[in-house]
């Protein structure tokens, strides 16, 4: 099942949600955006123990799930955009299979 900050992008709901972003126009950029508005909960909900850098234990973990319902995009405050249906879900298939799927959708 789609898992973590990036995995939420591929949950199969057909909706892209753009959260907060940083301003890269100045010559010195100070980053502060952490996806607020596009992720379930806040960034702190995804923190893991510094002593376990490969931990899968955080509030919204779906690591061991074989299926998970899409996130509730109505609860997200970011900008909502519909996306092309077909390749918005995460798969554990090889690139060759995904290339064939992409060609079939076009």
């Amino acid at each position: 099942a789609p898992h973590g900050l990036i995995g939420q992008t591929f949950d199969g709901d057909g909706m892209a949600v753009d959260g907060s972003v940083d301003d890269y126009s100045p010559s010195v950029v100070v980053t502060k955006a952490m996806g607020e508005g596009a992720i379930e909960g806040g960034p702190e909900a995804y923190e893991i123990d510094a002593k376990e850098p490969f931990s899968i234990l955080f509030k919204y973990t779906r690591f061991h799930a074989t299926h998970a319902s899409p996130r509730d995009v109505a609860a997200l405050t970011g900008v909502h955009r519909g996306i092309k249906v077909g390749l918005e879900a995460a798969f554990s298939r090889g690139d060759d299979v995904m290339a064939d799927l992409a060609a079939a959708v076009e």
Side-chain angles (χ1 to χ4, degrees):
H3 169 75
L5 293 173
I6 303 300
Q8 288 184 38
T9 305
F10 302 102
D11 65 358
D13 64 6
M15 183 67 60
V17 182
D18 299 326
S20 63
V21 294
D22 291 315
D23 178 7
Y24 288 94
S25 62
S27 59
V28 176
V29 176
V30 177
T31 61
K32 61 181 170 114
M34 293 194 276
E36 299 93 333
I39 59 173
E40 294 177 297
E44 67 283 348
Y46 297 86
E47 291 180 5
I48 58 172
D49 186 333
K51 296 175 190 159
E52 299 288 337
F54 300 107
S55 176
I56 58 168
L57 304 176
F58 56 91
K59 183 174 181 176
Y60 296 100
T61 191
R62 296 177 173 180
F63 188 78
H64 292 294
T66 57
H67 179 277
S69 298
R71 62 202 163 149
D72 179 10
V73 294
L76 304 177
T77 60
V79 176
H80 294 69
R81 298 180 289 115
I83 58 174
K84 184 177 180 181
V85 176
L87 296 177
E88 74 278 1
F91 297 99
S92 57
R93 300 178 186 165
D95 291 341
D96 55 337
V97 174
M98 295 310 297
D100 291 343
L101 284 172
V105 170
E106 292 178 354

